[in-house]
Amino acid sequence: MDSPLYISHYCKIEKGLISVDGNVVFHADEAPFSDFIKQAFKHQQLDYPKFYKMDNLSKLAFLAAEVLLRDEEDKEDIALVLVNKSGSLDTDVKHQESIQDAANFYPSPAVFVYTLANICGGEISIRHGMKSEQVFFVSDAFDATTIFNYATYLLASQKAKKVLCGWVELFEENYKAVLCLVERAGTKLHTINNINQLVKN
Amino acid sequence: MEELKEELKGKIIEVLNLEDVAVADIDDSDALFGDGLGLDSIDALELIVLLDKEYGIKLSDPKQGKSIFESVNTMADYIAKNRTK
């Protein structure tokens, strides 16, 4: 690696609060997730009806990516490295409930298509026209080293110009997203320690 | 028939999560796919499930869907003739 990499911007969504680079941009503390994320989406004044059809994990990842990427240009070569603990379990449970009763067996195709965690990466890629590498790891515990190494590799090998990476966890009412945009310019160094601080604090 | 059409519009909005669409926004003859409501292939599958779940109609030939799901008019007409519940 001949030049340092930086976390140029980061977004956190947790406990009814959305912040960008440490500055709160939206909060709705008491609302359940589905209401909170809908309010946040409308607050961003986005015109994207597909959002309402997404599962909750995709809504979470989509909105975190949106606030970081909406003003970016040339997004085709931005890669995605996402990690969480629960995979798509939140939607898996909903799908399972719809096929539990043989006498009332009506699985929803619109729910079923989200029973893969990496679909949220697809939603982000479609929205922003990203055609670079994309990966979604499911890990029991947050591991900053994996994110750091993968993002560094993608940039060092010139497989991507920028990398959007981080943690997007959701199961029922427990949710947390911390996404970082890593590139060759910025002020906060792309290090394992800095990623850990952003995600764990 | 008018009552069925209004009911159908409400169910379409609900099952397809058409957040910014109201019953009054959908004309009976509006195209559901393409330039109309802009529904996609997953929405088409949801409409097939809706016919089964709400009206007891199982579409044995998916090719039928193209004409049945043309508009609320065509859907209501098909439901009225084939419903089992």
Side-chain angles (χ1 to χ4, degrees):
Chain A
M1 192 79 237
D2 52 2
S3 60
L5 299 174
Y6 297 90
I7 297 169
S8 59
H9 299 287
Y10 61 94
C11 172
K12 297 178 81 166
I13 303 180
E14 183 182 27
K15 296 175 183 169
L17 206 135
I18 301 177
S19 66
V20 178
D21 299 335
N23 302 309
V24 174
V25 296
F26 180 80
H27 68 92
D29 295 341
E30 301 299 321
F33 178 79
S34 57
D35 291 345
F36 157 69
I37 204 75
K38 191 195 292 186
Q39 287 174 31
F41 177 78
K42 290 188 172 178
H43 182 260
Q44 295 294 317
Q45 298 182 311
L46 303 170
D47 181 20
Y48 197 69
K50 178 79 195 297
F51 177 83
Y52 299 108
K53 295 171 182 278
M54 295 178 195
D55 74 340
N56 283 341
L57 177 64
S58 291
K59 285 177 179 171
L60 177 66
F62 179 93
L63 204 59
E66 187 68 26
V67 296
L68 290 178
L69 298 180
R70 64 190 307 175
D71 295 326
E72 285 287 320
E73 295 177 354
D74 301 326
K75 293 183 264 195
E76 200 168 289
D77 291 322
I78 298 176
L80 269 176
V81 180
L82 303 176
V83 188
N84 81 358
K85 176 182 178 180
S86 300
S88 59
L89 186 61
D90 187 69
T91 297
D92 297 347
V93 168
K94 288 171 183 159
H95 174 63
Q96 197 277 334
E97 286 170 353
S98 74
I99 59 174
Q100 178 80 13
D101 182 0
N104 189 30
F105 187 88
Y106 298 106
S108 161
V111 172
F112 178 73
V113 293
Y114 288 100
T115 56
L116 280 174
N118 62 347
I119 300 300
C120 67
E123 295 288 8
I124 294 168
S125 297
I126 291 168
R127 166 67 169 167
H128 297 285
M130 293 152 64
K131 296 176 181 173
S132 186
E133 300 279 325
Q134 183 191 132
V135 65
F136 196 114
F137 295 112
V138 178
S139 171
D140 194 40
F142 173 72
D143 177 16
T145 305
T146 299
I147 293 175
F148 172 82
N149 285 341
Y150 213 97
T152 302
Y153 162 73
L154 288 168
L155 291 165
S157 60
Q158 299 187 328
K159 289 182 181 295
K161 290 179 180 172
K162 299 180 183 182
V163 179
L164 183 66
C165 57
W167 180 256
V168 279
E169 165 65 13
L170 180 139
F171 182 62
E172 297 175 339
E173 287 302 312
N174 298 309
Y175 60 93
K176 181 173 186 174
V178 182
L179 291 189
C180 306
L181 189 61
V182 179
E183 55 184 304
R184 296 187 184 279
T187 54
K188 184 185 281 290
L189 275 173
H190 172 57
T191 64
I192 292 171
N193 191 41
N194 280 341
I195 295 170
N196 259 325
Q197 281 193 348
L198 289 178
V199 173
K200 293 183 176 176
N201 291 338
Chain B
M1 185 61 100
E2 290 309 309
E3 193 178 323
L4 174 59
K5 288 177 185 175
E6 293 303 295
E7 174 189 289
L8 197 50
K9 290 174 190 177
K11 289 185 188 300
I12 289 171
I13 290 169
E14 182 188 345
V15 301
L16 302 185
N17 292 309
L18 303 178
E19 177 74 13
D20 294 325
V21 179
V23 168
D25 297 334
I26 306 175
D27 286 340
D28 296 350
S29 57
D30 275 352
L32 296 179
F33 293 85
D35 292 336
L37 282 180
L39 306 185
D40 61 21
S41 57
I42 300 298
D43 295 323
L45 295 173
E46 283 293 339
L47 292 181
I48 291 173
V49 174
L50 186 151
L51 285 186
D52 186 7
K53 187 174 182 179
E54 301 294 334
Y55 304 105
I57 298 171
K58 289 188 187 296
L59 284 189
S60 53
D61 180 6
K63 289 176 185 171
Q64 289 179 288
K66 192 171 181 181
S67 56
I68 296 168
F69 300 136
E70 201 174 301
S71 66
V72 168
N73 271 337
T74 57
M75 272 190 84
D77 185 54
Y78 186 81
I79 290 168
K81 289 174 182 168
N82 297 278
R83 67 189 303 170
T84 60
K85 64 180 180 184

